[in-house]
Amino acid sequence: MISTRRKFVLTDHRKPLSGTTTLPWVQWISGGIALMGLAMSTVQGAPMKRVSSHGDHGFVTVEGVTAGPFNAKAWEHGTLNFTPDARWPLLDPLKGAWRNIYAPTVVSEGTGFRLYYGGWDGSPTGNDRLYSIHADRDFLHFTDRRTVVENGPFIHVNNGSAVRASDGTVRLMATQYPDSHGMNKPALFISRDGARFAGREGKRPAGNLPYSASATDFINIVGYPNFEKADINGMNALFRDGNQWRLYFGDFKNWGKVYRASGTDPRRLTLEGPALNEGLMVNDVKRFQSGGNAWNVMLLHQNGDHLRYSLSRDAARFPPSKTLFINQGPEDRYIVAVGMVTDGKRPLGVLYGAGAVQSLDRNRIFARWLQKRVGFETTGGNAAAEGRAKGPHRLQFPLRGAARGRFVVYGDDGTTVRYRGPEVTIHPGEVWRYRGG
């Protein structure tokens, strides 16, 4: 959604999140167990092995919990183990007069991922702009934070939906406000390197200066009734389908459906009709293979406390949506945008814009990762019950002292047991690695 009033900081919670309690068996243990040493903590040749004792202080880290191949059955049944990231939020706005970032959309790069987002990233005025930042493959380190599209003559430019084409270029479909009819309309920007963008004329600014939006960047949707008066605000998901570009969009002036338009040129698309008969805001569509079939996942929201998705083998028609997950706490109570992170073969997780206030003008970017579920079972409970993700490939859980028990690893559906290990002793600061399926 485009705002109507409308240093780079990453927070890393190094303490149990609110509501966490420390079980008695996690306290510092004296005597034999505490003195057993690291040798007993490692089971040689096992799928779960200790690989380091120099991890984050006060935590046990488990690597290798990345989601497996796309599991159509789990998506059909809604049994998906989305784990909140320990950095809450994952991305804060820069310090400055105006701070409100959301609308994340992600494409893969050779050295990791490029995250685009919009809003006020510590900007001097309350005009929405488009930004980007590079994340490494583990989503642990972030670099090259920059403005990529300035609002130019418009009040706002926001709500990007990015797709990397087969030639390596990035297409960024955003919305500009206002057009000549005082409405929000989609506009397209193109980048050869993913960091510097140009408009229809193809001219990039000199150096690292951001592109300034222009009225020539607006696209056209042929066959959509009253397109000139349509209000397409924050509902513009771009999708590459063979030699066709698809745009899934909604219209506040014609509310109640998600439409699809297609064409070989994303600047000029032709309406095909409704793709989903629901009044929801579409932000992303991704395709995966499973069981020899193509499955399409559509991500949606409604400015509320949860995200929704629809799963279909036919990218032209989607069935009624289901709940993806609800908010984690007061910080992400109002969810205003969502984008999927994928390596091209599997969904790794989702990033979403959300905030604590109903005015929707104090958003940050949060992350939930689709991961294998990890437990550490002892006679006193499950030490990993308060685990939080650290990017898509790692899980951490707080530990105050040595504990003895066994690791149990479930699939990313959260229920299928993949591994049940022997008894081991774990200590704060250890890093374990799971190498099973």
Side-chain angles (χ1 to χ4, degrees):
M1 300 292 292
I2 282 180
S3 307
T4 53
R5 284 185 51 192
R6 310 220 226 277
K7 180 188 167 167
F8 168 40
V9 178
L10 277 178
T11 57
D12 189 353
H13 287 204
R14 291 299 174 195
K15 59 182 179 180
L17 300 184
S18 59
T20 300
T21 57
T22 303
L23 300 175
W25 50 267
V26 185
Q27 307 299 325
W28 282 105
I29 300 173
S30 61
I33 291 180
L35 298 176
M36 282 182 178
L38 296 178
M40 292 189 65
S41 297
T42 303
V43 182
Q44 297 297 328
M48 183 73 77
K49 291 181 62 175
R50 183 187 66 81
V51 295
S52 173
S53 59
H54 302 292
D56 292 340
H57 178 71
F59 289 81
V60 173
T61 301
V62 181
E63 300 177 341
V65 297
T66 318
F70 184 79
N71 186 340
K73 184 177 294 185
W75 282 85
E76 284 183 303
H77 295 165
T79 53
L80 302 165
N81 184 52
F82 279 100
T83 306
D85 198 289
R87 297 158 294 182
W88 201 250
L90 178 72
L91 192 65
D92 257 317
L94 291 173
K95 293 180 180 179
W98 297 82
R99 307 181 74 233
N100 174 36
I101 59 173
Y102 55 103
T105 180
V106 184
V107 297
S108 62
E109 292 188 327
T111 57
F113 298 89
R114 174 69 61 170
L115 162 62
Y116 303 95
Y117 58 97
W120 313 324
D121 201 10
S123 55
T125 65
N127 301 98
D128 289 358
R129 300 163 172 86
L130 294 171
Y131 308 90
S132 82
I133 193 169
H134 175 80
D136 66 7
R137 294 186 181 94
D138 298 323
F139 269 83
L140 296 180
H141 304 289
F142 296 79
T143 56
D144 193 27
R145 189 168 185 162
R146 62 172 69 197
T147 305
V148 293
V149 180
E150 288 280 3
N151 58 295
F154 301 98
I155 296 175
H156 302 301
V157 178
N158 204 338
N159 308 305
S161 176
V163 173
R164 185 176 293 281
S166 57
D167 62 0
T169 60
V170 173
R171 305 298 201 276
L172 185 60
M173 187 73 76
T175 52
Q176 297 181 158
Y177 171 82
D179 68 356
S180 60
H181 296 273
M183 297 295 164
N184 297 273
K185 289 294 192 304
L188 186 71
F189 310 105
I190 301 176
S191 174
R192 293 195 297 269
D193 60 8
R196 295 175 296 167
F197 281 82
R200 182 179 293 274
E201 291 83 4
K203 296 180 180 179
R204 294 186 303 182
N208 286 324
L209 292 175
Y211 175 73
S212 184
S214 166
T216 61
D217 300 322
F218 283 119
I219 72 162
N220 187 29
I221 301 179
V222 178
Y224 184 72
N226 298 316
F227 175 68
E228 290 184 346
K229 297 183 179 180
D231 186 17
I232 301 173
N233 181 9
M235 302 172 282
N236 46 281
L238 187 62
F239 178 63
R240 180 70 169 169
D241 189 2
N243 68 343
Q244 292 286 305
W245 289 97
R246 318 285 193 192
L247 180 68
Y248 297 86
F249 68 97
D251 177 5
F252 280 119
K253 297 295 185 180
N254 186 21
W255 188 240
K257 298 179 186 296
V258 174
Y259 298 91
R260 188 174 89 154
S262 298
T264 56
D265 181 356
R267 298 185 189 280
R268 181 179 173 84
L269 303 169
T270 301
L271 181 73
E272 294 180 318
L276 176 67
N277 292 316
E278 288 188 73
L280 297 168
M281 286 164 267
V282 59
N283 284 164
D284 206 352
V285 176
K286 291 289 191 291
R287 176 172 293 168
F288 302 97
Q289 298 293 324
S290 178
N293 297 311
W295 295 86
N296 305 283
V297 178
M298 177 183 287
L299 298 182
L300 312 107
H301 74 94
Q302 52 188 2
N303 288 346
D305 64 354
H306 68 287
L307 288 169
R308 303 191 68 80
Y309 74 98
S310 180
L311 178 70
S312 177
R313 289 175 58 185
D314 180 1
R317 300 289 297 178
F318 285 79
S321 64
K322 301 177 181 180
T323 298
L324 185 68
F325 54 72
I326 64 172
N327 70 302
Q328 181 71 18
E331 300 90 350
D332 64 340
R333 168 62 180 82
Y334 298 97
I335 302 175
V336 298
V338 60
M340 182 176 285
V341 181
T342 171
D343 62 4
K345 297 182 179 179
R346 55 188 171 174
L348 300 177
V350 295
L351 306 184
Y352 59 103
V357 295
Q358 196 169 7
S359 55
L360 309 181
D361 57 1
R362 301 178 193 174
N363 301 299
R364 280 83 178 109
I365 294 175
F366 297 84
R368 304 249 195 131
W369 303 106
L370 184 60
Q371 293 185 336
K372 298 176 177 67
R373 183 165 69 88
V374 176
F376 188 79
E377 298 178 353
T378 76
T379 56
N382 177 12
E386 298 296 338
R388 293 293 182 266
K390 192 73 177 293
H393 311 304
R394 292 169 174 81
L395 181 84
Q396 291 186 326
F397 56 91
L399 193 68
R400 294 188 179 180
R404 188 159 181 81
R406 68 180 73 246
F407 283 104
V408 181
V409 180
Y410 304 82
D412 49 51
D413 62 358
T415 59
T416 304
V417 177
R418 298 292 188 188
Y419 169 75
R420 185 180 296 275
E423 282 198 353
V424 293
T425 300
I426 60 175
H427 301 79
E430 289 183 346
V431 179
W432 290 71
R433 183 171 297 155
Y434 177 65
R435 296 185 179 276

